[in-house]
Amino acid sequence: MYVYPSPSLDREAKRRLAIIRHVEEVSGNVALTCRYYGISRQAYYIWYRRYQAEGVDGLRSRSKRPKTSPNA
C-alpha cells in the first residue's frame, strides 16, 4: 500500500516548530524563549502538548469554527 507524503508545513507551523526546537536545543528556558518570540507561555504549552501527541502535524493551524451551534 502506498502512503502519500504529508504536504509541507505552512508558515505558522514552521514558526511553532522553530520555537519548540529553540527551547529544546538552544535555551532550555521556556519563559525567556516566549518573551523573545513575543508569545505567551500558555500558547507555547498548547502547541507543545499537540506536538507531543500528534508530532509535527499537530502544529498546523486549526479552524476556530465551533463544531456545533446549539442555537442555530
Side-chain angles (χ1 to χ4, degrees):
M1 182 172 138
Y2 181 75
V3 177
Y4 292 98
S6 62
S8 62
L9 294 175
D10 58 350
R11 180 181 295 176
E12 189 62 29
K14 287 180 184 177
R15 179 175 181 265
R16 292 172 181 171
L17 182 60
I19 293 170
I20 289 172
R21 288 196 174 152
H22 187 272
V23 170
E24 291 176 344
E25 299 170 4
V26 179
S27 73
N29 189 321
V30 173
L32 289 177
T33 300
C34 290
R35 191 175 304 140
Y36 178 77
Y37 283 99
I39 63 167
S40 68
R41 284 183 295 154
Q42 181 181 9
Y44 170 81
Y45 283 113
I46 289 170
W47 301 338
Y48 187 65
R49 280 192 298 272
R50 283 176 27 192
Y51 176 68
Q52 286 183 318
E54 304 172 32
V56 176
D57 287 334
L59 298 176
R60 294 183 189 279
S61 299
R62 296 183 178 183
S63 173
K64 293 180 179 149
R65 182 182 63 86
K67 291 184 171 124
T68 60
S69 181
N71 295 326

